[in-house]
Amino acid sequence: VQLQASGGGLVQPGGSLRLSCAASGRALRSYIVGWFRQAPGKEREYVSTIGVSGRTGYADSVTGRFTISRDNAKNTVYLHANSLKPEDTAVYYCAAGPTLSTNATSYWYWGQGTQVTVSS
């Protein structure tokens, strides 16, 4: 599976972005998909996951602000990021794997990352 993350950009605090994770090669609906992020000087951290059945999970830091969804017809998973804060600034990565997990090591396939910058 090849993953392509997109949709990042520069946004003011309180703004919104929709990140996309498009897959090619195999059907993304067969995999758990996770979003992770890494800020400069920090370790990669879990953001959100969506299971094959649509079950979702979120880090405490984004609960109530971010929503993950999947469109199997488009072979794409989305991360809707609302009420963005400066501390959300990071490179966002999508990943796919067989296990529903908040641990990045559980994921087999990774996209290249998309930069999100929240600043006034």
Side-chain angles (χ1 to χ4, degrees), residues 1-81:
V1 177
Q2 292 79 46
L3 302 178
Q4 178 76 36
S6 62
L10 174 62
V11 62
Q12 292 186 343
S16 299
L17 287 173
R18 187 184 75 167
L19 306 185
S20 299
C21 178
S24 61
R26 296 191 68 176
L28 197 56
R29 64 176 179 268
S30 300
Y31 295 93
I32 309 300
V33 176
W35 283 96
F36 295 80
R37 66 186 181 187
Q38 188 167 17
K42 295 186 177 181
E43 294 186 353
R44 190 168 297 189
E45 66 174 3
Y46 161 75
V47 176
S48 181
T49 49
I50 187 164
V52 171
S53 63
R55 177 182 177 184
T56 60
Y58 301 93
D60 290 344
S61 59
V62 305
T63 296
R65 300 188 298 121
F66 289 17
T67 302
I68 191 170
S69 64
R70 64 195 310 158
D71 185 334
N72 292 332
K74 295 184 177 180
N75 217 20
T76 300
V77 167
Y78 302 100
L79 185 68
H80 303 263

